[in-house]
Amino acid sequence: MNNVQKAILAIRSIESTDDLNQLIDAFKLQRTYLARQAARALTVGDNVNFTNSRTGRNTTGVVMKIAIKFVTVKTIDGLWRVPASALTQIA
């Protein structure tokens, strides 16, 4: 049994709303940490790839600006504000 399956079993055993709210806060904090870590790994001018939410296709572009959680990416279709965790850096 892997860690995710163990976590799911632990979640299912929660019977208190307060405990569940603490768990939700922990998830939000971890998501914020991962987004910021992804943003720190990028620099302006990096080539990146992401899945376009409008077409569902992979889109390639160049990092123009890095904010706390979101990155502005210039593509042939224009500027996109993309969550840093959704970007893949192209070598």
Side-chain angles (χ1 to χ4, degrees):
M1 180 177 295
N2 66 26
N3 289 338
V4 174
Q5 292 170 335
K6 289 178 187 177
I8 290 171
L9 289 175
I11 290 169
R12 289 189 177 148
S13 68
I14 293 174
E15 296 180 4
S16 166
T17 303
D18 291 334
D19 290 344
L20 193 57
N21 286 336
Q22 288 179 357
L23 184 63
I24 291 167
D25 290 340
F27 274 111
K28 289 179 182 179
L29 286 172
Q30 185 65 18
R31 182 177 290 141
T32 298
Y33 169 77
L34 292 174
R36 289 182 178 177
Q37 186 178 18
R40 283 192 302 268
L42 297 170
T43 58
V44 174
D46 282 349
N47 292 318
V48 292
N49 191 20
F50 64 96
T51 302
N52 187 323
S53 62
R54 293 182 188 163
T55 63
R57 291 184 282 166
N58 284 336
T59 303
T60 302
V62 177
V63 173
M64 300 302 291
K65 178 183 173 187
I66 301 171
I68 294 172
K69 291 184 184 180
F70 290 88
V71 177
T72 303
V73 179
K74 182 178 182 181
T75 68
I76 58 172
D77 298 327
L79 294 177
W80 289 81
R81 186 173 171 259
V82 183
S85 57
L87 294 172
T88 304
Q89 190 172 2
I90 301 172

